[in-house]
Amino acid sequence: MDGTNTTDIVLYGGKGGVGKTTCAAAHALELARSGAETLVVSTDPAHSLGDAFERELGAEPTDVDDSLAAVEVDPETGQDAYRGVVEALVAEFRDAGLRLDDADLERLFEAGLIPGGDEVAALEYVARYADADYDTVVFDTAPTGHTLRLLDLPDVLAETLGVAGDVQQRVRRTARAARSMVLGPAAYWSGKSDDADAVTALHDRIEAVGALLRDPDRTAFRVVLTPERMAIAESERLVARLREAEVSVDALVVNRFFTNPDDCDCERCRRDAARHADRLAAVEERFDLPVRRVPELPGESQGLAALERVGPALL
């Protein structure tokens, strides 16, 4: 990816429990240590990014090291922009003479005009930081099911917002026609400006995010797995789905790979090393992608010192 005058996007995804957060945090730290202004964002509702850095994180960037900041997505913050769409539609309905009170507005919002709260928030953060003052933004995504919904959501929202915009325009035309019967041509002077239209603006914003996620020059997806059969099988499905969605897959990251570096002769070490070597061979045979190996390390992968040991395997 070429980061000149743009922000590169790297997304880490995969099955739950394979170490996506550790890999995303370590990659971000390694980029920052190499001099790149880097932001790492957790879009997983079960946030553990703060635990990885041993820092309290919130919905705004928090510095965790030189040239490195981190964020944990707040679903409420992400939803604020989308509530504005419902409010804009209700304003049009009221302008057309339809009686809607605040309780009606709340019911419209809760009825799911904008689906997928966590994924919607994640998209909002992608949009927010896509052109921010960072060289790279690394996303720690939720487990596979959430991630696939995230990738589908731009198309779903674009269609939903397109329908909402059509309804809005029809209501607006009806209201103008009704006013013109009373006021004549002057009725059109007070019409709402399409340039400030919240529905259209959000529709365009979502389409831009969808295009960004599919732009191989700016965005890459890394699939994290462990050298186990279930993780490999799920990774195959995820890679296939990413390719269907035209999202560029940069690499596979085989995490917690046991290599028996001390050449221990105990039965457990020999067995684990042989099994992981077999699994790695299967991964390299079944996927036409670069494979990065993150060795199994003693202790918890928490804190900057632990993440430093992981990062070099990811660049």
Side-chain angles (χ1 to χ4, degrees):
M1 292 182 296
D2 180 4
T4 305
N5 298 322
T6 61
T7 299
D8 287 339
I9 306 293
V10 181
L11 299 101
Y12 276 85
K15 186 177 181 294
V18 296
K20 297 182 299 296
T21 300
T22 296
C23 291
H27 187 179
L29 179 62
E30 189 71 13
L31 287 169
R33 293 283 172 88
S34 70
E37 289 295 327
T38 306
L39 176 70
V40 56
V41 181
S42 170
T43 66
D44 189 340
H47 294 301
S48 57
L49 187 61
D51 295 333
F53 285 121
E54 297 181 326
R55 299 283 198 283
E56 289 289 333
L57 301 179
E60 297 298 329
T62 298
D63 291 336
V64 296
D65 198 57
D66 292 343
S67 301
L68 177 62
V71 168
E72 290 183 339
V73 165
D74 176 5
E76 292 299 322
T77 301
Q79 285 279 35
D80 286 346
Y82 304 91
R83 177 179 287 273
V85 171
V86 177
E87 291 172 344
L89 290 174
V90 168
E92 296 289 351
F93 295 156
R94 287 172 176 165
D95 194 54
L98 301 175
R99 298 177 62 86
L100 291 171
D101 57 24
D102 290 340
D104 294 321
L105 187 155
E106 198 64 31
R107 281 195 294 274
L108 279 172
F109 189 73
E110 292 175 352
L113 173 65
I114 306 297
D118 295 326
E119 291 82 15
V120 163
L123 281 184
E124 175 63 19
Y125 276 73
V126 173
R128 179 180 300 183
Y129 295 115
D131 295 303
D133 294 328
Y134 296 100
D135 297 310
T136 305
V137 180
V138 179
F139 283 88
D140 166 32
T141 71
T144 302
H146 284 266
T147 300
L148 293 178
R149 288 196 294 274
L150 170 66
L151 296 174
D152 285 337
L153 200 52
D155 291 339
V156 172
L157 284 176
E159 183 175 351
T160 300
L161 292 168
V163 172
D166 290 344
V167 171
Q168 184 185 44
Q169 292 301 323
R170 288 199 296 271
V171 170
R172 187 175 295 176
R173 286 194 295 270
T174 300
R176 285 175 176 171
R179 284 197 302 271
S180 72
M181 294 178 64
V182 178
L183 302 176
Y188 293 90
W189 298 347
S190 61
K192 297 183 183 294
S193 170
D194 287 345
D195 292 337
D197 189 290
V199 179
T200 301
L202 185 57
H203 180 274
D204 293 345
R205 183 173 170 86
I206 289 298
E207 283 201 330
V209 172
L212 172 64
L213 291 174
R214 291 166 172 80
D215 182 353
D217 293 328
R218 292 194 59 190
T219 300
F221 199 104
R222 291 189 169 190
V223 176
V224 183
L225 65 154
T226 52
E228 307 296 340
R229 285 197 180 94
M230 287 183 63
I232 294 170
E234 183 161 326
S235 296
E236 278 194 300
R237 292 190 289 271
L238 176 56
V239 169
R241 180 62 187 84
L242 289 167
R243 285 175 169 169
E244 284 178 13
E246 299 180 341
V247 174
S248 175
V249 182
D250 173 70
L252 296 173
V253 178
V254 179
N255 192 27
R256 303 174 193 148
F257 181 72
F258 184 71
T259 57
N260 195 11
D262 298 326
D263 200 23
C264 176
D265 197 42
C266 77
E267 181 181 352
R268 179 177 179 179
C269 286
R270 286 189 287 108
R271 183 187 66 236
D272 288 350
R275 187 179 77 253
H276 282 199
D278 288 344
R279 299 286 189 273
L280 179 64
V283 167
E284 291 176 336
E285 180 181 346
R286 291 159 73 172
F287 295 89
D288 58 341
L289 289 165
V291 177
R292 287 175 168 78
R293 310 176 198 178
V294 176
E296 184 174 5
L297 299 173
E300 298 289 333
S301 297
Q302 288 182 284
L304 298 184
L307 295 173
E308 285 172 352
R309 293 182 294 165
V310 176
L314 297 168
L315 286 190

